Amino acid sequence: MKKLTAALMMSASALLAACNKEAPQEAAAPATPEAITKIVVGLDDNFPPMGFRNEKNELVGFDIDLAREATSRLGIEAEFKPIDWSAKEAELNSKRVDVLWNGLTITDERKKNIGFTAPYMENHQIIIVASKSPIQSKADLAGRVVGAQEGSSAVDAIKKEADVAKSFKELKTFGDNITALMDLSTGRLDAVVVDEVVGRYYITKRADQYRVLTYHFGTEEYGVGTRKDDTELLSKLDNTLNQMKQDGTAAKIANQWFGANIIK
């Protein structure tokens, strides 16, 4: 009896082992993407009216208001982080910031490393001179010292017109546009090439000191920049900005800062 019981137990064990061996393993559930709850917005905090510090040292500006509205609609917290704008791509791709949102010009070169939303604004690279300057055209810039912000699209736009750039006595770059305009007012520069939205905002406060030429260094478009692989965030921002254009919210914010709807 004991031998029979042992034999039955061995048979049952062998059958159980065979069943376990043949039973398919359950596939592991795919990892659920972590929900986006916060983004760090990289900006130049000396770029009025897009992003700058007011008299209370608070970060304010058109792009900041636009970003706050968009992230509020998405239920995402926005942290605004001033960065060295000339190193913006490194800041983004090293994940020290999640988006670049501060008058960022869309270019083919930047598209190689940055994902862009659809354009939300059209801009020009204007030429500002002192109100009493004899300069009237690009040809008059020959032999002159011209200023622009380092790492800005103004520098790129100037370099595209190589013959004009070569005619300058010097192309001098600055950490920010305000310093360049201050050097223009003191006579250390003959002209400044700058984003139209910035230049016109700044010179309206000192209309008697500056003059904008009818000539410029081309038209450009602004977009929000993300990392190339951050497709979910890019899609959400794109959709939200489009909604803000459609319902008039973006135009309202533009009117508050520029006195006109300059949304593209």
Side-chain angles (χ1 to χ4, degrees):
M1 191 71 175
K2 289 182 180 179
K3 288 183 179 180
L4 180 60
T5 301
L8 288 172
M9 289 178 65
M10 288 177 65
S11 298
S13 298
L15 181 61
L16 182 60
C19 289
N20 288 340
K21 185 176 181 180
E22 292 173 6
Q25 296 291 323
E26 288 188 14
T32 303
E34 189 174 336
I36 301 171
T37 59
K38 175 183 175 179
I39 59 171
V40 179
V41 179
L43 73 151
D44 172 3
D45 65 350
N46 204 2
F47 189 20
M50 311 308 280
F52 62 105
R53 294 188 182 276
N54 63 15
E55 62 278 359
K56 297 179 181 178
N57 203 38
E58 300 166 329
L59 285 170
V60 296
F62 168 78
D63 270 332
I64 288 177
D65 285 352
L66 201 67
R68 281 181 173 146
E69 175 65 22
T71 53
S72 175
R73 292 186 180 205
L74 287 168
I76 297 173
E77 179 188 351
E79 176 188 339
F80 295 92
K81 182 178 181 180
I83 60 172
D84 177 356
W85 197 244
S86 64
K88 53 190 170 293
E89 290 187 22
E91 293 282 341
L92 179 66
N93 291 315
S94 64
K95 299 188 177 182
R96 286 189 285 272
V97 300
D98 300 306
V99 299
L100 300 172
W101 198 329
N102 198 207
L104 179 64
T105 303
I106 302 170
T107 67
D108 290 337
E109 187 64 27
R110 286 176 179 169
K111 282 181 179 179
K112 295 176 183 178
N113 300 310
I114 299 174
F116 280 98
T117 62
Y120 63 84
M121 185 183 291
E122 191 172 83
N123 184 50
H124 301 91
Q125 291 298 332
I126 60 173
I127 305 167
I128 301 176
V129 297
S131 57
K132 296 181 180 179
S133 170
I135 297 172
Q136 299 292 335
S137 68
K138 290 181 184 178
D140 295 335
L141 296 174
R144 308 281 188 170
V145 181
V146 179
Q149 182 181 15
E150 181 183 2
S152 70
S153 52
V155 174
D156 297 335
I158 292 168
K159 289 180 177 178
K160 282 182 180 178
E161 299 192 31
D163 291 340
V164 176
K166 287 178 182 177
S167 75
F168 298 168
K169 178 180 180 181
E170 180 186 359
L171 174 58
K172 189 174 181 180
T173 57
F174 295 80
D176 58 78
N177 289 304
I178 293 176
T179 305
L181 288 166
M182 288 175 62
D183 270 23
L184 177 62
S185 65
T186 59
R188 287 191 288 269
L189 293 177
D190 297 300
V192 170
V193 180
V194 62
D195 291 280
E196 183 171 19
V197 291
V198 178
R200 290 196 181 278
Y201 173 82
Y202 189 83
I203 66 175
T204 53
K205 302 177 182 300
R206 298 169 177 80
D208 59 327
Q209 294 183 30
Y210 304 112
R211 177 167 51 85
V212 179
L213 302 190
T214 55
Y215 300 89
H216 58 73
F217 279 94
T219 303
E220 60 190 19
E221 296 175 327
Y222 286 165
V224 181
T226 70
R227 284 182 286 277
K228 294 280 284 187
D229 59 356
D230 219 343
T231 54
E232 181 187 357
L233 176 59
L234 179 60
S235 177
K236 287 182 176 182
L237 290 173
D238 232 346
N239 291 336
T240 303
L241 285 171
N242 187 53
Q243 291 170 8
M244 290 167 60
K245 293 176 189 177
Q246 297 298 322
D247 65 24
T249 304
K252 182 179 178 182
I253 296 172
N255 272 291
Q256 291 171 350
W257 285 101
F258 304 104
N261 177 17
I262 59 173
I263 298 297
K264 182 177 174 62

